[in-house]
Amino acid sequence: MPPPRLRAWPAVLLATGLLLSGCANPSVGSADDDPDAPVTLRFWHGWSEPGEVKAIDKSVERFEELHPNIHVETTGNVSDATVNQALRAGGDKAPDVVSSFTTNNVGQYCDSGMWADLDPFLKKSGVDKKKVFPSTLLDYTRYEGTQCALPLLADAFGLYYNKDAFAKAGIDRPPRTMSEFAEDAAKLTERDGDRVERAGFMPNFRLYQNSPDRLFAQWGPRYFDQDGKARLAEEPLTRQFYRTMKKLSDAQGGYAALERLRQSFGDEMSRQSGFMTGKLAMHLDGEWRGLMLQEDEPDFDWGVAPLPVPDDQADTYGRGYLTGTVAGIAHSSTHQNAAWELLRFLTTDTEQVVSFANAIHNVPSTKAALTSPELDADPAFRTFLRIARNPHSQALPPSTTGGMYVTAFQDFSYSVEAGKAGDLGAGLRELDRQIDADTLQAKN
């Protein structure tokens, strides 16, 4: 199952941010409709892989059986930019219910008013969101008190590892702390002179899913203070993170040698990817990768575990980075009550959430679904369920600039790992100033 929601999308995020910045006055819809009256709803989503589209279509069919008065027209493979243009224009062709793979943009959806506030619908239906959804998932579906989205399945990140390589190196279990991580990575690294033939773990941020924010989540950082000001320079964990990543890199030959190896890998979704070809002994990835490995049948035994944590936070082991799909109601919809019935079914109905999660091999997004005995019993998948339930697992905080602050953090991190950032403290202070300036501009 290709994971479209999980790739790094800097250009797309910026483009979406520019689109949303001009959307302060979205078309106005209404919640005066009768949800029991005959109606046709338009549901736009981003799924495009045949199995995923089949799964979402089956979900809609189940909903229509329960609500025979509501017909749902679905449109798939829709980008955030297309959705936002349609919502800005409004009209009869605009969607009523929308979903997005980009949790980073929730701050803009809520702040711009283009996605309707869901709290009145939740209250009217007697849905206690704090009892239904894990707190981390709720955090990335609201912004400054506005709940404009709900979680629609989630993704958790963990550590895939080559069991055969571990056995050959005499390592009996996956590393749990960053010190163990560096030690094991060094043992697993294979060299031919100065050339790295296999990395224990590739820390370079441009590798596949290795976005620095995903790795940084293991430290549990705070990106913003209570006033919304960037605080990466004053956050001591930021420096710890960069120091640890450098130690991990140096233990395996250094950034340049690892970068040469990275550039020899095939596409992330191909059989020539670094982990599939045995050129990576450990690899950061999401829950969908297990299903792909089962289908591709690599010539080594593999396992999955949580990513290691800092040594002084050993009690948080089991945590990971979380993200996922979010869904909401278009503010421009004139059928918001009927739209709420669809959204409520997709996001809160336990049987539906479990069935959908099993079908596309994603993590369920409600507390009840996460503990359902009907979930896929595959041990690798269960590891990600535990990561999702871990109270220390972290998602990125929403911002009115969407993913602009994430892109800025990524760009700075690329410079740091390549040794081009200069004075780290000065660079971080400048990064904070840039993020704050972008936030101020977005709010004005």
Side-chain angles (χ1 to χ4, degrees):
M1 191 275 297
R5 73 179 61 82
L6 294 167
R7 297 182 185 276
W9 301 71
V12 174
L13 292 177
L14 277 171
T16 306
L18 291 172
L19 276 170
L20 281 171
S21 65
C23 298
N25 297 298
S27 299
V28 177
S30 72
D32 297 328
D33 61 300
D34 179 358
D36 296 321
V39 66
T40 295
L41 296 177
R42 293 178 176 83
F43 173 37
W44 287 13
H45 63 79
W47 286 286
S48 60
E49 193 273 329
E52 296 174 332
V53 173
K54 181 180 179 180
I56 195 66
D57 286 346
K58 282 188 174 295
S59 298
V60 169
E61 288 174 10
R62 289 193 290 268
F63 170 77
E64 290 180 330
E65 290 175 1
L66 295 171
H67 299 268
N69 63 299
I70 303 177
H71 173 62
V72 182
E73 294 180 351
T74 61
T75 301
N77 197 23
V78 182
S79 69
D80 278 23
T82 299
V83 169
N84 294 330
Q85 287 174 326
L87 296 188
R88 180 170 55 181
D92 294 339
K93 302 298 182 183
D96 299 286
V97 179
V98 290
S99 72
S100 170
F101 296 146
T102 311
T103 59
N104 296 345
N105 285 339
V106 167
Q108 293 180 318
Y109 303 147
C110 295
D111 200 35
S112 68
M114 290 190 2
W115 286 30
D117 183 0
L118 299 177
D119 274 329
F121 297 97
L122 289 160
K123 183 177 181 181
K124 177 175 59 179
S125 302
V127 177
D128 187 337
K129 61 186 180 183
K130 292 183 179 179
K131 292 182 178 179
V132 174
F133 302 104
S135 60
T136 304
L137 274 58
L138 268 183
D139 288 344
Y140 68 59
T141 55
R142 58 189 175 191
Y143 179 69
E144 293 187 345
T146 300
Q147 186 78 52
C148 72
L150 292 177
L152 179 55
L153 301 192
D155 292 298
F157 284 77
L159 183 73
Y160 286 84
Y161 63 100
N162 184 323
K163 289 186 175 181
D164 295 349
F166 267 56
K168 184 178 178 181
I171 305 172
D172 59 5
R173 63 165 174 79
R176 296 173 182 170
T177 65
M178 289 297 166
S179 292
E180 292 179 351
F181 202 15
E183 291 172 5
D184 289 350
K187 291 179 183 178
L188 292 161
T189 299
E190 294 182 348
R191 297 184 178 87
D192 182 3
D194 293 335
R195 187 177 186 85
V196 176
E197 297 290 332
R198 182 182 72 192
F201 177 84
M202 174 72 70
N204 295 22
F205 298 136
R206 295 182 188 272
L207 173 71
Y208 304 150
Q209 300 295 329
N210 274 25
S211 180
D213 46 289
R214 291 168 187 162
L215 292 163
F216 196 22
Q218 296 307 107
W219 276 258
R222 287 178 55 213
Y223 286 81
F224 302 98
D225 64 19
Q226 61 183 6
D227 298 319
K229 297 286 188 179
R231 61 180 306 277
L232 288 168
E234 66 182 79
E235 171 63 88
L237 298 175
T238 313
R239 289 170 176 79
Q240 291 180 26
F241 167 62
Y242 287 129
R243 284 197 300 268
T244 301
M245 289 297 102
K246 188 175 189 308
K247 287 180 181 178
L248 189 58
S249 179
D250 290 345
Q252 303 173 87
Y255 169 77
L258 291 173
E259 189 65 5
R260 284 193 295 271
L261 177 64
R262 183 189 70 84
Q263 292 176 3
S264 73
F265 297 163
D267 183 78
E268 176 184 2
M269 298 301 157
S270 75
R271 291 178 177 270
Q272 301 307 310
S273 66
F275 190 67
M276 278 292 295
T277 56
K279 294 181 179 180
L280 291 175
M282 295 182 286
H283 178 53
L284 171 70
D285 222 324
E287 76 285 340
W288 68 87
R289 180 64 60 182
L291 182 60
M292 295 178 70
L293 287 168
Q294 291 171 14
E295 294 173 347
D296 291 341
E297 298 182 339
D299 60 1
F300 56 85
D301 193 12
W302 57 274
V304 64
L307 199 68
V309 297
D311 290 42
D312 60 356
Q313 298 189 51
D315 60 336
T316 68
Y317 178 69
R319 79 192 314 170
Y321 174 84
L322 301 181
T323 185
T325 302
V326 297
I329 297 173
H331 189 272
S332 58
S333 172
T334 56
H335 310 293
Q336 291 181 14
N337 287 316
W340 166 245
E341 294 302 320
L342 174 59
L343 182 63
R344 178 171 64 162
F345 173 76
L346 292 175
T347 60
T348 70
D349 183 278
T350 302
E351 182 179 353
Q352 157 58 24
V353 174
V354 170
S355 297
F356 193 29
N358 284 340
I360 69 172
H361 212 68
N362 278 185
V363 174
S365 44
T366 67
K367 293 179 179 178
L370 277 167
T371 57
S372 170
E374 301 303 317
L375 279 174
D376 188 339
D378 170 57
F381 187 55
R382 292 281 176 171
T383 297
F384 289 100
L385 300 183
R386 290 192 292 272
I387 292 172
R389 291 197 297 265
N390 188 292
H392 300 288
S393 290
Q394 188 173 52
L396 284 169
S399 166
T400 191
T401 67
M404 289 181 68
Y405 82 91
V406 183
T407 301
F409 178 60
Q410 290 171 345
D411 289 342
F412 180 73
S413 298
Y414 298 150
S415 297
V416 172
E417 71 174 356
K420 299 178 180 179
D423 180 84
L424 183 59
L428 286 170
R429 289 190 291 274
E430 178 57 34
L431 175 61
D432 282 347
R433 283 193 289 269
Q434 177 187 344
I435 293 172
D436 288 341
D438 290 339
T439 301
L440 182 62
Q441 183 177 3
K443 286 185 174 293
N444 291 335

